[in-house]
Amino acid sequence: MKNIYLIVAVLSLITFSCGNMKKDADLIVKNAKVYTVDEHFTVASAFAVKDGKLLEVGTNGDITKNYGADRTLDLEGKAVYPGFIDAH
């Protein structure tokens, strides 16, 4: 019976530890006004980048909770627009 309690305790600890692990990102940008081009033209406040690609766009809380990065950029409310490509 003691073995069952030990197994349950170890599995609970593993589950708790894995649930709190952050994903790696190269850069987290937060406190921004991020204009998206999704179907609702959502305005977000943060995003995470890895290898030059967006991992996730969302709220400051969601991004900082889900991702860790060596580099964080606080835009202090400045705007971020989707890529502009000018043909001129």
Side-chain angles (χ1 to χ4, degrees), residues 29-58:
V29 177
K30 62 182 185 173
N31 297 323
K33 193 175 281 190
V34 183
Y35 294 96
T36 70
V37 287
D38 65 8
E39 64 183 31
H40 303 290
F41 292 95
T42 307
V43 178
S45 58
F47 58 91
V49 178
K50 181 156 180 95
D51 297 327
K53 297 179 182 177
L54 288 174
L55 296 173
E56 186 176 341
V57 178

Side-chain angles (χ1 to χ4, degrees), residues 41-75:
F41 292 95
T42 307
V43 178
S45 58
F47 58 91
V49 178
K50 181 156 180 95
D51 297 327
K53 297 179 182 177
L54 288 174
L55 296 173
E56 186 176 341
V57 178
T59 65
N60 289 323
D62 287 342
I63 299 302
T64 56
K65 177 180 75 173
N66 294 331
Y67 295 92
D70 291 335
R71 190 167 164 222
T72 301
L73 184 60
D74 184 344
L75 289 188

Side-chain angles (χ1 to χ4, degrees), residues 4-25:
I4 292 175
Y5 290 123
L6 180 60
I7 291 170
V8 169
V10 170
L11 289 176
S12 297
L13 194 68
I14 291 171
T15 302
F16 179 75
S17 297
C18 291
N20 291 331
M21 292 178 60
K22 291 184 177 187
K23 299 172 197 150
D24 287 334

